């Protein structure tokens, strides 16, 4: 394993290209013709992409591949272009309060009769009445918000088709593996038979995206119904994902080591909008050693 030291997660993509890529999150507002919905929380995508590059470097992936990977990570949330923060939050806060699965793989475990890829339709059919009784009308716009979680693969594919001409204009080479890693968190089965390096990059994306999300104050407030952020909870969730077989021990180990070295301090503070507490800094400094003992 490479042992390159760094002080902050790297940005390997030119900033002008980063800005152009983030504009792909802007979405025509179907309710207001001629207006755009600005991409939701694009800084999250960029912070995640920088963290992913740091972990991929630490794990010895090739520089050219890591640069291409970072582009995919910047666009990992593209299927949520058009996210309506208020409505999305109402739908998924309600679902979580009712104990309703919010991810396709979890939905299929509870409702194996649902045809693969039709989770959105099943959700709407099953819960339309209850949601409308709760004051949430499942009109076409609300169904799009449902699609952003339960139908993520379908929506991501549609958004990629829409933006690929622009990617060609930007001289971005798009490879099939880039789309597959973007789907891994919701659809781990789509990487069955993938080359080990593809799966590892997908695992890194899941680990970094979730680690950032657990420190992301905006997301916590908007749709996780979270009052505070705590790095110990982030690590606990990574360990849970490892237990489920979603991310491997080496990926968790590399992320913990980088966190212990202080590489992620600044991006975590950016995600929170405040400084880390002394208690959390101490926790982060010990993270790498705890992982080594656990491994």
């Amino acid at each position: 394993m490479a042992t390159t030291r760094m002080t902050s997660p790297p940005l390997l993509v030119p900033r002008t290209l980063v800005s152009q890529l983030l504009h792909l999150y802007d979405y025509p507002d179907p309710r207001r013709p001629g207006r755009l919905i600005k991409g939701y929380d694009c800084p999250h995508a960029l912070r995640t992409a920088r963290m992913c590059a740091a972990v991929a470097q630490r794990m010895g992936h090739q520089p050219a591949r890591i640069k291409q990977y970072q582009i995919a990570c910047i666009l990992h949330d593209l299927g949520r272009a058009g996210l309506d923060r208020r409505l999305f939050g109402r739908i998924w806060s309600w679902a979580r309060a009712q104990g309703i699965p919010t991810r396709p793989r979890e939905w299929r475990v509870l409702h194996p009769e649902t045809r693969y890829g039709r989770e959105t339709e099943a959700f709407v059919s099953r819960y339309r009445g209850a949601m409308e009784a709760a004051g949430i009308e499942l009109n076409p716009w609300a169904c799009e918000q449902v699609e952003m979680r339960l139908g993520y693969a379908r929506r991501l594919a549609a958004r990629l088709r829409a933006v690929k001409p622009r990617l060609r204009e930007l001289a971005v080479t798009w490879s099939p593996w880039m789309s597959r890693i973007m789907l891994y968190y919701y659809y781990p089965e789509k990487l069955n038979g993938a080359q080990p390096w593809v799966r590892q990059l997908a695992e890194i994306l899941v680990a970094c995206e979730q680690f950032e999300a657990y420190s992301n104050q905006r997301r916590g407030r908007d749709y996780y119904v979270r009052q505070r952020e705590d790095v110990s909870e982030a690590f606990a969730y990574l360990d849970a994902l490892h237990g489920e077989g979603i991310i491997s021990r080496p990926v968790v180990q590399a992320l913990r080591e980088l966190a212990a070295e202080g590489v992620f301090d600044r991006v975590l503070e950016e995600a929170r909008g405040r400084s880390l507490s002394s208690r959390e800094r101490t926790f982060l400094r010990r993270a790498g050693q705890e992982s080594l003992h656990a491994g």
Side-chain angles (χ1 to χ4, degrees):
M1 180 183 293
T3 57
T4 304
R5 295 282 170 174
M6 61 190 84
T7 57
S8 64
L11 183 62
L12 308 175
V13 181
R15 289 193 175 274
T16 52
L17 178 56
V18 170
S19 177
Q20 292 163 321
L21 291 172
L22 292 177
H23 276 303
L24 298 180
Y25 281 96
D26 297 342
Y27 186 80
D29 191 336
R31 304 159 301 173
R32 303 177 184 86
R35 296 186 63 179
L36 289 174
I37 299 173
K38 298 296 291 181
Y40 173 76
D41 198 11
C42 287
H44 158 78
L46 184 53
R47 286 190 292 265
T48 296
R50 292 175 60 207
M51 293 170 70
C52 286
V55 177
Q57 284 182 345
R58 176 59 58 93
M59 300 193 77
H61 288 270
Q62 302 168 8
R65 180 175 289 160
I66 295 174
K67 185 175 180 179
Q68 192 178 15
Y69 173 55
Q70 191 167 64
I71 290 173
C73 294
I74 289 171
L75 295 178
H76 80 271
D77 261 347
L78 191 64
R80 289 199 181 135
L83 185 145
D84 182 323
R85 187 175 68 180
R86 186 187 66 84
L87 181 56
F88 187 92
R90 287 187 70 199
I91 291 169
W92 296 113
S93 296
W94 178 87
R96 186 172 285 107
Q98 308 304 313
I100 297 167
T102 61
R103 299 179 182 92
R105 58 189 170 94
E106 296 166 354
W107 178 275
R108 291 193 297 273
V109 169
L110 192 61
H111 301 291
E113 74 283 357
T114 299
R115 199 171 111 206
Y116 189 85
R118 305 286 288 183
E119 292 82 10
T120 297
E121 289 83 355
F123 177 95
V124 171
S125 175
R126 181 178 289 265
Y127 296 116
R128 181 186 295 277
M131 294 194 74
E132 291 181 350
I136 306 171
E137 181 187 356
L138 282 180
N139 56 28
W141 182 234
C143 290
E144 279 200 57
Q145 308 304 309
V146 175
E147 182 88 333
M148 289 177 194
R149 293 199 77 156
L150 285 181
Y152 191 74
R154 188 166 56 186
R155 201 168 197 280
L156 176 62
R159 294 308 304 150
L160 282 172
R161 285 194 299 270
V163 306
K164 277 184 177 177
R166 179 58 178 153
L167 290 174
R168 286 192 289 270
E169 291 174 3
L170 296 174
V172 170
T173 300
W174 194 265
S175 301
W177 65 265
M178 298 167 77
S179 304
R180 294 178 74 189
I181 66 166
M182 295 161 77
L183 293 172
Y184 179 63
Y185 182 56
Y186 283 163
Y187 306 91
E189 70 278 3
K190 291 186 180 293
L191 261 67
N192 290 343
Q195 295 184 63
W197 66 266
V198 174
R199 183 181 176 92
Q200 188 171 83
L201 291 180
E203 292 181 10
I204 293 170
L205 175 56
V206 169
C208 292
E209 197 270 342
Q210 293 304 311
F211 193 64
E212 197 281 346
Y214 264 80
S215 284
N216 189 311
Q217 185 185 61
R218 183 174 186 182
R219 289 181 174 230
R221 182 181 61 241
D222 286 349
Y223 58 86
Y224 288 130
V225 199
R226 189 172 63 215
Q227 300 302 314
R228 65 181 178 83
E229 287 68 45
D230 191 315
V231 293
S232 65
E233 294 177 1
F235 281 122
Y237 187 56
L238 294 186
D239 288 341
L241 289 173
H242 168 62
E244 294 174 24
I246 299 298
I247 54 178
S248 61
R249 175 56 60 185
V251 168
V252 177
Q253 172 78 19
L255 188 150
R256 279 182 170 270
E257 288 177 356
L258 289 165
E261 293 165 18
V263 174
F264 296 144
D265 284 8
R266 184 172 297 178
V267 293
L268 295 179
E269 290 179 336
E270 290 172 1
R272 288 156 177 250
R274 62 174 175 80
S275 298
L276 294 163
S277 68
S278 58
R279 179 184 65 83
E280 288 182 308
R281 286 184 185 276
T282 299
F283 187 94
L284 287 167
R285 297 298 83 84
R286 294 173 177 169
Q289 288 303 311
E290 289 178 4
S291 184
L292 283 170
H293 295 156

